[in-house]
């Protein structure tokens, strides 16, 4: 009697039109190896469906046991906090929109910009002390782990508007209800929105609460493991 333990693959990067080379070819290789798949790139659905193997599109998620709303918003720092990768690793197209946006607002005293990554525990401690968090465009589609981490920590999140063709991701959350939206190609608009959120943050607290409720119900790592 042979017992086969199914192996599942979580594909948490962009596959189609990725700035990283050979993403489609690497995914096709994985499709031959693993028994089932979770993937975040809704534009790659046809690739996974053609495999004939169990597959499901998912959003990224975060660990609610690590990222927690430790302090009330009134006790947190009031600047607009950004921490994410800014290096493009010498590859054309990697983080282009993010790098342009952050360069445009870097010297504005509204923002606290950090381009270096830190450990998850240190990041969690930082988020717990921040009232407002800025998320800028990523290489990954949809709602990435760092977004959900800020939501889990109870922060008011400024998030760039997703492209209209990211239909599945856009259906999950709504601007002005779950996040404060802005156009990543209009840094002046971001400055205006950021200034208003910082000044009138109490009017935006309901957004942080609504987003965190959705997160706890559907986008924790425990929920993902249950689905898997």
């Amino acid at each position: 009697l042979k017992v086969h333990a199914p192996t599942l693959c979580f594909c948490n990067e962009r596959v189609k039109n990725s700035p990283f080379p050979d993403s489609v070819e690497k995914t096709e290789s994985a499709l031959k190896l693993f028994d089932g798949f979770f993937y975040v790139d809704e534009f790659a659905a046809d690739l996974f469906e053609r495999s004939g193997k169990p597959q499901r599109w998912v959003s990224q998620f975060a660990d609610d046991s690590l990222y927690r709303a430790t302090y009330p918003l009134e006790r947190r720092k009031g600047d607009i906090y950004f921490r994410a990768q800014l290096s493009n690793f010498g590859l054309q197209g990697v983080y282009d929109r993010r790098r342009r946006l952050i360069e445009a607002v870097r010297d504005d005293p509204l923002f606290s910009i950090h381009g270096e990554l830190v450990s998850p525990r240190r990041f969690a401690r930082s988020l717990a002390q921040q009232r407002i968090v800025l998320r800028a465009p990523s290489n990954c589609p949809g709602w990435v782990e760092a977004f959900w981490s800020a939501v889990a920590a109870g922060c008011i999140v400024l998030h760039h508007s997703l492209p209209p063709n990211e239909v599945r991701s856009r259906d999950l959350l709504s601007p002005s209800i779950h996040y404060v939206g802005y156009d990543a190609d209009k840094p002046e608009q971001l400055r205006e929105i950021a200034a208003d959120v910082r000044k009138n943050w109490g009017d935006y607290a309901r957004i942080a609460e609504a987003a965190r409720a959705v997160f706890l119900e559907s986008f924790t790592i425990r929920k993902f493991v249950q689905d898997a």
Side-chain angles (χ1 to χ4, degrees):
L1 176 65
K2 291 184 177 181
V3 177
H4 173 70
T7 55
L8 303 179
C9 180
F10 177 42
C11 304
N12 69 335
E13 289 279 355
R14 185 181 297 276
V15 177
K16 296 286 187 72
N17 300 314
S18 171
F20 295 105
D22 305 321
S23 291
V24 171
E25 291 78 8
K26 292 173 182 175
T27 302
E28 289 175 336
S29 176
L31 287 169
K32 299 175 184 177
L33 179 63
F34 294 93
D35 299 306
F37 299 86
F38 293 92
Y39 63 95
V40 301
D41 185 356
E42 60 184 278
F43 305 118
D46 60 329
L47 199 64
F48 291 95
E49 290 168 359
R50 286 201 307 268
S51 73
K53 296 180 177 180
Q55 43 77 30
R56 180 185 296 181
W57 174 83
V58 295
S59 169
Q60 291 193 19
F61 45 82
D63 185 352
D64 62 311
S65 68
L66 178 61
Y67 298 97
R68 306 180 69 175
T70 308
Y71 307 106
L73 290 179
E74 59 267 23
R75 290 177 54 193
R76 302 192 189 195
K77 299 176 182 178
D79 52 1
I80 313 299
Y81 179 77
F82 171 86
R83 184 181 291 279
Q85 180 64 258
L86 287 175
S87 172
N88 67 354
F89 312 105
L91 296 173
Q92 186 176 2
V94 174
Y95 294 127
D96 277 0
R97 294 181 72 212
R98 174 186 292 182
R99 287 157 60 90
R100 285 195 301 269
L101 177 68
I102 296 303
E103 189 60 33
V105 302
R106 180 184 292 276
D107 296 329
D108 192 315
L110 275 172
F111 299 91
S112 176
I113 304 297
H114 305 271
E116 68 282 356
L117 300 183
V118 294
S119 71
R121 290 195 178 278
R122 183 177 170 188
F123 187 45
R125 287 196 298 270
S126 296
L127 290 177
Q129 299 175 50
Q130 301 297 148
R131 183 180 296 154
I132 309 162
V133 169
L134 170 65
R135 291 300 310 159
S138 172
N139 294 318
C140 295
W143 311 105
V144 301
E145 179 186 359
F147 164 75
W148 289 120
S149 299
V151 168
C155 305
I156 302 166
V157 182
L158 278 60
H159 196 286
H160 57 283
S161 300
L162 296 181
N165 56 354
E166 289 192 21
V167 178
R168 291 181 175 180
S169 292
R170 288 171 66 95
D171 284 347
L172 297 178
L173 301 172
S174 300
S176 302
I177 296 177
H178 303 108
Y179 64 96
V180 181
Y182 70 92
D183 187 332
D185 297 314
K186 298 179 179 179
E188 287 303 321
Q189 181 198 76
L190 172 60
R191 285 194 183 94
E192 293 175 5
I193 292 172
D196 185 65
V197 176
R198 181 175 182 177
K199 180 181 179 181
N200 303 301
W201 64 267
D203 296 338
Y204 293 87
R206 58 178 174 77
I207 292 178
E209 294 169 1
R212 191 164 185 272
V214 170
F215 163 75
L216 291 173
E217 180 178 354
S218 302
F219 298 104
T220 66
I221 191 170
R222 283 182 284 188
K223 181 64 168 62
F224 173 76
V225 170
Q226 289 171 1
D227 289 347

